[in-house]
């Protein structure tokens, strides 16, 4: 276990610097005029030019720039957006509603994907299984830019079951429709992985042993098969978080939820470079930390890894 | 599978039956698969719309009259008009081209990168593998859309339509899955007896790679690329929707959806039709990939 | 403990004078996309308390499927039990409702499998997997059940049982894992134990230890043991009687010493001749020509006829040879058993 954790930590540190470097390089690489890149198509005033040059140390070498960028990231100093607001403050403002949205979406997705996936796996080849496969196919084919506006149109504007937009202090009910939309971005893969893994585990020898022990079918499935089948599903959580972050940008934009994704989408539209780089960097760090946590969870679920 | 009887049952037809190549088997399987035919027909229709849009509509997608703003379907414009008075049907048909162009080019790019990186990592192993695997980890450490919004916004000049910027972004950020699949199937194939036999008979690394390893690793690689094509098309729409994809005068489903969404309360049809076309296109490629995978790997069915 | 057992899983119609286990004319087939494979085609045998019956045959002869059918853990589909009876103390298990059938498993009839590593659940400790039996069948508390698990590990001679009870299957050696399997099978004091190739996956020295342990535990408990194996050497040491299976049928049945001295079926004879023997060093080994038949296409008449050196016309025609009583307590399904016996 100890060696496993150490190895994962070292890998994470490497990935951390690599990934932040990629973000930084994507932003500033190959730019004749980095300031123009930061402000987009707007014209930068002299005072803005001076401020940005100082902020990003543009008058120094590339590696020095990266060093200052990392220092800012690690000390929580993200600078100011082009509108003059403190980016850390904007982030702090936007977090709570996004976290609630994300947790709601994750819970919805996990509940649906695991139960449906297990039943589809048990009844492999049956009507329920084929119906579920078809449904996942349709979900996979619905990009969030299709799903979010259509869901808003149908369920909020036409049927009026949910409000079309929300505020910072949205209730769980107000967040339900966006959370459902967000959940659909990850349900299909989670469900498919659960199903495949249940199908494989049902054939395993230890299932035969469990039945030979005279255990009830329900116990065989939900204790013996499920625990083994969840291992690959848990590893998906890490990847899914990235999908959820991407989905949240569009979802919050569509439903006007003033969270992280909404601010980021506005930053993209108004070509607010400092805002985009700041938000994206923080999201990447969260993504990496969650992935590390998932690796540790994986070890907790699979003793064969733990005692490696 | 420790039960010998079950193995006998599974292998029985092989012992007595005819032997066919894996590809031949897969094709025989595909031919019987309805999903394959549905998706194949869809793909052909989509390709026709992309490259010969005039087959489907005689209207000019650029000819818009504000007097037609948000008008419902008419005889010539069967999907009605959008907020600028443009023919929704014509724009949706012409929008196919951008999606397919970006999708195909970016997938090709991801495929080439994935092929080179995956093949070298799997074949050479050791340090090469370690370095390339860490690089893959790093790329996977940046969630795709986050990388894309930072990257593609920087690339396009203000004049062009952004096709190259989006293609480059998608290609550079999505090769990892292709590389991983290539690497693991090369490692699996490499350890098989016939490759070891080839090496002992003195086959050169190049010959081994291209005559033995590559053809046997191709099946899963092609499946990944087919599905990637679908998801890259969806990604293009998302980027365009957010304003960092195609821009300006470009005709694209993502742009159509973004524009129509603001007026969805007044007129839903300009939102619905490009959405359906986009979903159908993504669906067609994902189904095609699924069908091919099932054919090559029947045990997962 | 015995009275708890009697009340917890009383079986209606149980007759203590009836044979412990009796299998009559069992038929099992696997219905797959590529055709119907007839895995068991009329297997019959019986077992008494304290006795060891070896079921001997090549892989694919239906011996493991028979064992799974007795346990009621055949994978279905594709497996289907199409005919026959499985009587435990006179009760036909196939006629019991599933809930009662389940109580027979582990309580009355238990089974150990060939590969203990894959037969144990990798994500639970062996203690959990043992205690589970007491919790589910006896309603014991977690801590009581855990203590019983430690006792069991002690009984199968696993050193430091109290600490090892919290280990996972992959932390045990092959031999120790098989001991865990045995402990699990014996947990609820079954009267019948079915061991499916229990030592095949193990080293020779460990094999002997495990067989010794099994024999010892069997004697202590006066258990009936069905030992499924393809290894004639193992059989000679521990079995009382042997049933030889071929293509899903018992082709010969006899006390162990009789069969080694004078086999009554050409297949048994061929099996015995294919064992390398020190005293015949330098002679060419007799191997059985040909392959076992595909279960989708079993030959007419006697299934062994294409590989048999005694085969004549009647062997190639239906019906298959009946079970001739060739000597006291001996049967063989061969028209020409006299020739085979060398009379």
């Amino acid at each position: 276990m100890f060696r496993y954790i150490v190895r994962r930590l070292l890998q994470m540190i490497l990935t951390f610097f690599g990934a932040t470097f990629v973000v930084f390089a994507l932003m500033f690489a190959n730019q004749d005029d980095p300031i123009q890149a930061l402000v987009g198509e707007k014209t930068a005033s002299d005072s803005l030019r001076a401020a940005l040059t100082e902020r990003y140390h543009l008058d120094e070498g590339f590696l020095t720039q990266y060093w200052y960028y990392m220092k800012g990231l690690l000390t929580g100093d993200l600078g100011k957006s082009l509108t003059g607001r403190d980016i850390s403050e904007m982030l702090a403002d936007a977090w709570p509603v996004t976290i609630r949205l994300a947790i709601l979406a994750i819970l919805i997705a996990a509940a649906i994907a695991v139960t449906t996936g297990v039943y589809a796996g048990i009844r492999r080849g049956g009507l329920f299984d084929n119906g579920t496969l078809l449904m996942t196919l349709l979900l996979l084919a619905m990009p969030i830019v299709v799903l979010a506006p259509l869901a808003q149109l149908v369920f909020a504007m036409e049927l009026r079951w949910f409000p079309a937009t929300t505020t910072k202090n949205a209730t769980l009910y107000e967040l339900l429709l966006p959370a459902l939309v967000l959940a659909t971005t990850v349900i299909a893969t989670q469900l498919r992985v659960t199903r495949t893994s249940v199908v494989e585990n049902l054939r395993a020898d230890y299932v035969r042993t469990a039945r030979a022990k005279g255990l009830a079918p329900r116990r065989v499935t939900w204790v013996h098969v499920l625990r083994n089948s969840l291992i690959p599903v848990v590893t998906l959580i890490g990847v899914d978080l990235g999908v959820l972050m991407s989905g949240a940008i569009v979802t919050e934009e569509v439903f006007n939820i003033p969270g992280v994704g909404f601010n980021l989408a506005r930053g993209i539209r108004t070509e607010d470079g400092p805002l985009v780089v700041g938000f994206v960097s923080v999201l990447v760090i969260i993504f990496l930390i969650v992935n590390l946590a998932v690796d540790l969870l994986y070890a907790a679920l699979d003793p064969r890894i733990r005692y490696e | 599978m420790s039960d010998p009887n079950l193995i006998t049952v599974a292998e029985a037809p092989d012992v007595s039956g005819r032997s066919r190549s894996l590809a031949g088997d897969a094709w025989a399987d595909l031919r019987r698969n309805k999903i394959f035919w549905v998706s194949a027909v869809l793909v052909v229709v989509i390709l026709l719309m992309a490259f010969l849009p005039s087959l489907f509509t005689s209207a000019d997608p650029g000819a818009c009259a504000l007097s037609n703003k948000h008008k419902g379907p008419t005889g010539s414009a069967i999907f009605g008009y959008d907020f600028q008075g443009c023919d929704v049907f014509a724009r949706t048909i012409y929008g196919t081209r951008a999606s397919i162009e970006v999708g195909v080019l970016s997938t090709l790019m991801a495929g080439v990168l994935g092929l080179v990186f995956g093949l070298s990592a799997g074949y050479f192993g050791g340090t090469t593998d370690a370095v390339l695997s860490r690089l893959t980890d790093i790329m996977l450490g940046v969630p795709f859309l986050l990388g894309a919004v930072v990257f593609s916004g920087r690339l396009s000049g203000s004049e062009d339509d952004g096709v190259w910027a989006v293609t480059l972004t998608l290609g550079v950020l999505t090769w990892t899955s292709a590389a991983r699949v290539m690497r693991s199937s090369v490692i699996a194939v490499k350890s098989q007896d016939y490759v070891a036999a080839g090496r002992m008979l003195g086959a050169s690394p190049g010959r081994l790679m291209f005559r033995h390893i590559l053809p046997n690793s191709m099946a899963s690689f092609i499946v990944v690329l087919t599905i990637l094509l679908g998801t890259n098309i969806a990604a293009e729409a998302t980027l365009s929707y957010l304003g960092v994809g195609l821009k300006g005068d470009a005709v694209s489903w993502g742009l159509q959806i973004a524009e129509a969404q603001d007026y969805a309360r007044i007129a839903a049809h300009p939102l619905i039709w490009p959405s359906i076309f986009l979903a159908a296109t993504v669906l067609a490629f994902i189904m095609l990939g699924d069908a091919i995978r099932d054919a090559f790997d029947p045990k997962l069915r | 403990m015995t009275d708890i057992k009697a009340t917890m899983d009383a079986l209606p119609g149980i007759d203590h004078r009836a044979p412990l286990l009796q299998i009559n004319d069992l038929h099992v087939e696997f219905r797959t996309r590529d055709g119907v494979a007839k895995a068991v085609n009329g297997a019959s045998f019986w077992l008494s308390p304290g006795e060891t019956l070896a079921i001997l045959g090549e892989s694919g002869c239906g011996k493991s499927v028979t064992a799974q059918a007795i346990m009621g853990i055949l994978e279905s589909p594709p497996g289907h039990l199409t005919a026959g009876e499985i009587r435990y103390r006179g009760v036909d298990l196939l006629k019991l409702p599933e809930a009662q059938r389940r109580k027979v498993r582990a309580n009355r009839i238990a089974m150990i499998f060939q590969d203990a590593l894959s037969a144990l659940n990798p994500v639970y400790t062996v203690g959990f997997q043992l205690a589970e039996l007491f919790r589910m069948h006896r309603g014991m508390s977690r801590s009581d059940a855990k203590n019983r698990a430690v006792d069991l590990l002690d009984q199968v001679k696993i050193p430091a049982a109290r600490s090892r009870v919290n280990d996972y299957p992959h932390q045990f050696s092959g031999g120790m894992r098989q001991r865990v399997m045995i402990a699990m099978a014996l947990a609820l004091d079954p009267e019948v134990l079915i061991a499916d190739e229990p030592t095949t996956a193990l080293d020779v020295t460990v094999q002997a230890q495990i067989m010794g342990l099994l024999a010892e535990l069997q004697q202590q408990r006066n258990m009936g043991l069905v030992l499924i194996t393809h290894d004639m050497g193992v059989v000679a040491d521990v079995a009382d009687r042997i049933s030889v299976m071929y293509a899903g049928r018992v082709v010969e049945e006899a006390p162990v010493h009789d069969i080694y001295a004078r086999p009554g079926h050409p297949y048994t004879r061929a099996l015995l001749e294919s064992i390398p023997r020190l005293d015949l060093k330098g002679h060419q080994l007799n191997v059985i020509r040909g392959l076992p038949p595909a279960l989708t296409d079993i030959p007419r008449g006697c299934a062994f006829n294409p590989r048999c050196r005694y085969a004549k016309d009647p062997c190639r025609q239906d019906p298959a040879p009946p079970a001739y009583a060739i000597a006291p307590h001996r049967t063989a399904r061969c028209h020409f058993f006299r020739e085979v016996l060398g009379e």
Side-chain angles (χ1 to χ4, degrees):
Chain A
M1 183 71 167
F2 181 70
R3 270 177 50 200
Y4 174 82
I5 294 177
V6 170
R7 209 174 60 218
R8 282 295 131 133
L9 270 174
L10 289 177
Q11 273 177 13
M12 147 122 182
I13 291 170
L14 184 71
T15 314
F16 174 77
F17 283 105
T20 47
F21 189 79
V22 167
V23 172
F24 189 74
L26 289 181
M27 185 72 198
F28 290 102
N30 218 1
Q31 291 296 334
D32 300 330
D33 184 358
I35 291 180
Q36 203 57 55
L38 281 169
V39 300
E41 286 167 27
K42 292 187 280 283
T43 42
S45 66
D46 283 345
S47 61
L48 183 59
R49 275 189 178 272
L52 286 174
T53 305
E54 197 203 323
R55 165 70 200 161
Y56 291 99
H57 302 269
L58 294 176
D59 43 358
E60 293 175 65
F62 184 72
L63 284 175
T64 323
Q65 289 174 28
Y66 175 66
W67 162 250
Y68 280 111
Y69 158 78
M70 284 308 294
K71 199 174 134 196
L73 260 188
L74 294 175
T75 53
D77 172 19
L78 299 172
K80 287 192 178 356
S81 77
L82 290 186
T83 53
R85 287 191 63 193
D86 190 279
I87 295 174
S88 313
E89 259 172 39
M90 294 175 74
L91 205 53
D93 254 10
W95 263 131
V97 70
T98 300
I99 288 280
R100 277 190 294 154
L101 177 68
I103 289 177
L104 195 56
I106 289 170
L107 289 181
I108 292 172
I112 296 179
V114 170
T115 48
T116 319
V118 169
Y119 278 112
I122 293 172
R123 296 173 175 75
R124 184 165 73 106
L127 196 64
F128 183 79
D129 184 29
N130 285 324
T132 311
L133 277 184
L134 191 70
M135 195 194 77
T136 58
L137 206 55
L138 290 176
L139 284 182
L140 283 175
M142 293 270 211
I144 187 96
V145 287
V146 169
L147 212 60
L150 283 186
Q152 188 190 38
L153 178 69
V154 174
F155 297 107
M157 293 177 185
E158 298 296 325
L159 296 172
R160 293 180 183 281
W161 291 349
F162 302 95
T165 57
T166 57
T167 59
K168 208 166 96 179
N169 306 311
T171 60
L172 278 188
Y173 165 71
E174 286 173 322
L175 285 177
L176 197 56
L177 183 60
L180 269 168
V181 167
L182 196 50
T184 54
T185 56
V186 292
I187 280 183
T189 38
Q190 276 184 5
L191 200 158
R192 283 183 162 206
V193 170
T194 310
R195 175 195 171 270
T196 309
S197 155
V198 165
V199 166
E200 273 167 16
N201 277 297
L202 276 174
R203 288 193 200 127
D205 284 355
Y206 69 80
V207 172
R208 206 176 49 188
T209 310
R211 292 201 288 145
K213 282 159 83 177
L215 301 179
R218 229 181 307 138
R219 186 166 173 92
V220 174
T221 305
W222 295 102
V223 175
H224 285 268
V225 173
L226 186 66
R227 174 73 186 273
N228 281 279
S229 306
L230 279 185
I231 293 171
V233 181
V234 164
T235 57
L236 255 192
I237 295 176
V239 182
D240 281 349
L241 185 73
V243 178
L244 282 176
M245 285 175 171
S246 307
I249 302 177
V250 177
T251 309
E252 293 190 351
E253 161 90 355
V254 168
F255 290 94
N256 261 309
I257 304 168
V260 176
F262 180 82
N263 278 289
L264 192 47
R266 281 294 134 99
I268 294 166
R269 277 206 201 291
T270 56
E271 306 196 295
D272 191 334
L275 177 69
V276 173
V277 174
F279 270 50
V280 166
S281 307
V282 172
L283 287 178
V284 166
I285 291 170
I286 292 166
F287 179 72
L288 292 174
I289 290 171
V290 170
N291 269 284
L292 181 71
V294 165
D295 277 347
L296 300 183
L297 187 61
Y298 180 62
L301 275 180
D302 191 343
R304 284 162 295 185
I305 303 270
R306 208 183 312 163
Y307 292 92
E308 207 174 57
Chain B
M1 284 298 272
S2 71
D3 187 336
N5 299 296
L6 291 177
I7 292 172
T8 312
V9 174
E11 286 174 351
D14 287 5
V15 176
S16 58
R18 59 273 131 181
S19 73
R20 277 181 303 197
S21 70
L22 180 64
D25 253 351
W27 172 236
D29 234 55
L30 270 183
R31 265 194 334 213
R32 278 180 287 146
N33 188 344
K34 283 190 212 87
I35 290 187
F36 168 72
W37 287 111
V38 172
S39 53
V41 168
L42 257 175
V43 166
V44 169
V45 172
I46 291 161
L47 290 178
L48 280 177
M49 289 195 314
F51 296 107
L52 297 166
S54 50
L55 279 183
F56 296 83
T57 173
S58 53
D60 177 358
C64 310
L66 273 174
S67 56
N68 285 333
K69 181 174 179 172
H70 287 150
K71 267 194 188 160
T74 63
S76 62
I78 52 172
F79 292 171
Y81 295 91
D82 67 9
F83 78 108
Q84 287 179 316
C86 305
D87 179 340
V88 173
F89 180 69
R91 283 187 86 81
T92 307
I93 294 290
Y94 276 87
T96 317
R97 180 174 207 142
S99 292
I100 294 295
E101 250 177 33
V102 171
V104 170
L105 291 175
S106 63
T107 304
L108 277 180
M109 191 185 216
V112 170
L113 287 172
L115 186 74
V116 171
F117 288 162
L119 206 55
S120 344
Y123 187 82
F124 296 111
T127 322
T128 318
D129 185 23
V131 170
L132 288 176
S133 292
R134 286 291 82 75
L135 181 64
T136 314
D137 280 352
I138 287 171
M139 293 306 291
L140 288 171
V142 182
F144 163 72
L145 196 64
L146 296 184
V149 297
V150 175
F151 192 26
S152 68
R154 309 303 116 214
L155 285 172
S156 60
S158 39
E159 316 79 42
D160 73 89
D161 56 4
V163 166
W164 279 108
V166 179
T167 301
L168 193 63
T169 308
L170 293 178
V172 166
L173 292 173
T174 59
W175 55 268
T176 44
S177 56
R180 284 208 159 169
V181 166
M182 198 68 210
R183 171 180 175 273
S184 53
S185 55
V186 167
I187 288 174
V189 172
K190 199 171 70 168
S191 60
Q192 269 165 24
D193 289 344
Y194 65 93
V195 175
R199 190 177 297 128
M200 273 186 285
L201 290 172
S204 72
R207 188 184 158 77
L208 268 179
M209 195 117 106
F210 289 102
R211 289 299 296 276
H212 293 291
I213 296 182
L214 199 53
N216 280 289
S217 314
M218 249 7 217
S220 42
F221 187 65
I222 288 171
V223 170
V224 169
L225 288 191
T226 315
I227 293 172
L228 188 62
L229 184 53
T231 51
N232 275 359
I233 288 174
E236 178 275 314
T238 309
L239 288 177
S240 298
Y241 175 89
L242 287 173
V244 279
L246 305 186
K247 44 186 75 168
D249 296 333
V251 185
S252 144
W253 294 333
L255 285 176
Q256 275 185 288
I257 293 172
E259 289 163 357
Q261 200 219 320
D262 295 337
Y263 304 97
R265 245 181 245 268
I266 308 160
H269 56 269
L271 172 63
I272 291 171
W273 289 110
S275 299
I276 291 175
F277 274 62
L278 175 56
T281 305
V282 179
L283 182 66
F285 285 108
I286 292 179
M287 281 198 321
L288 190 63
D290 261 17
I292 299 176
R293 174 179 37 217
D294 283 354
F296 274 99
D297 197 355
K299 78 177 189 308
L300 286 177
R301 213 171 294 157
Chain C
M1 191 87 314
T2 25
D3 47 348
I4 292 176
K5 187 162 178 169
T7 51
M8 282 213 43
D9 37 65
L11 276 179
I14 204 155
D15 176 2
H16 286 280
R17 286 158 307 176
L20 179 59
L21 185 68
Q22 184 159 23
I23 312 300
N24 290 327
D25 197 33
L26 190 70
H27 285 76
V28 180
E29 55 189 42
F30 289 94
R31 296 172 192 155
T32 66
R33 260 203 286 181
D34 305 301
V36 176
K38 300 196 167 175
V40 182
N41 304 292
S44 303
F45 54 86
W46 87 93
L47 180 73
S48 311
E51 183 191 37
T52 300
L53 170 70
I55 297 184
L56 191 74
E58 294 164 280
S59 57
C61 72
K63 53 195 197 304
S64 291
V65 177
T66 305
Q68 287 175 30
I70 296 171
M71 290 304 294
I73 56 170
L74 265 183
E75 192 115 357
S76 176
H80 293 271
L81 212 155
T82 49
E85 287 180 329
I86 298 171
R87 288 188 180 277
Y88 162 79
R89 296 273 186 211
V91 180
D92 188 353
L93 299 182
L94 299 179
K95 297 214 167 73
L96 287 182
E98 178 55 29
Q100 278 191 321
R101 184 83 196 273
R102 215 161 59 220
K103 285 185 182 159
V104 174
R105 289 178 209 145
N107 269 304
R108 313 255 179 185
I109 308 177
M111 181 162 176
I112 54 186
F113 297 93
Q114 176 178 345
D115 179 4
L117 181 60
S118 61
L120 292 168
N121 194 328
V123 301
Y124 292 109
T125 63
V126 300
F128 176 91
Q129 295 182 60
L130 283 167
E132 191 178 29
L133 283 160
F134 298 110
R135 286 169 50 214
M136 295 299 132
H137 286 277
R138 297 280 185 270
M140 283 189 193
S141 70
R142 268 170 202 271
S143 59
D144 287 354
K146 193 64 156 285
N147 286 333
R148 292 298 303 271
V150 175
D151 290 348
L152 275 170
L153 292 183
D154 257 339
Q155 281 179 42
V156 295
K157 302 184 176 124
I158 290 182
R162 185 146 294 277
S163 62
R164 299 228 67 184
V165 76
N166 294 320
D167 283 354
Y168 290 89
H170 71 275
Q171 293 170 285
F172 288 82
S173 69
M176 287 297 150
R177 261 195 305 261
Q178 197 53 277
R179 283 169 196 262
V180 172
M181 264 317 319
I182 293 172
M184 197 176 288
L186 298 183
L188 304 179
D189 296 312
E191 288 165 277
V192 179
L193 178 64
I194 303 173
D196 187 0
E197 307 262 8
T199 59
T200 307
L202 303 174
D203 290 344
V204 181
T205 46
V206 183
Q207 274 185 14
Q209 291 167 9
I210 296 289
M211 287 315 298
L213 176 70
L214 266 180
E216 189 186 323
L217 292 165
Q218 179 195 13
Q219 237 171 13
Q220 283 170 12
R221 297 156 182 250
N222 198 31
M223 241 176 0
L225 175 64
V226 179
L227 179 67
I228 293 171
T229 180
H230 64 266
D231 186 341
M232 306 279 291
V234 171
V235 171
D237 293 336
V238 296
D240 300 310
R241 278 185 307 120
I242 295 186
S243 287
V244 181
M245 277 187 85
Y246 187 80
R249 265 199 195 98
V250 175
V251 293
E252 178 168 10
E253 202 198 316
V256 66
H257 298 297
D258 297 1
I259 223 167
Y260 275 81
R262 277 172 82 208
H265 191 281
Y267 177 61
T268 319
R269 186 171 187 141
L271 276 182
L272 287 170
E273 283 170 357
S274 65
I275 303 175
R277 276 164 50 184
L278 272 182
D279 55 327
L280 290 179
K281 201 173 166 191
H283 290 252
Q284 185 161 11
L285 202 59
N286 280 306
V287 290
I288 312 179
R289 61 196 164 103
L291 290 167
L295 297 176
T296 44
D297 187 21
I298 293 173
R300 290 158 62 90
C302 172
F304 188 60
N305 83 68
R307 305 168 74 186
C308 180
R309 65 185 124 127
Y310 299 90
K312 297 188 180 69
D313 277 343
C315 305
R316 297 181 189 101
Q317 276 149 30
D318 281 336
Y324 294 104
I326 63 172
H329 311 297
R330 291 192 66 176
T331 59
R333 287 182 182 268
C334 178
H335 296 307
F336 303 100
F337 64 88
R338 286 190 186 84
E339 273 179 56
V340 182
L341 285 169
E343 280 170 6

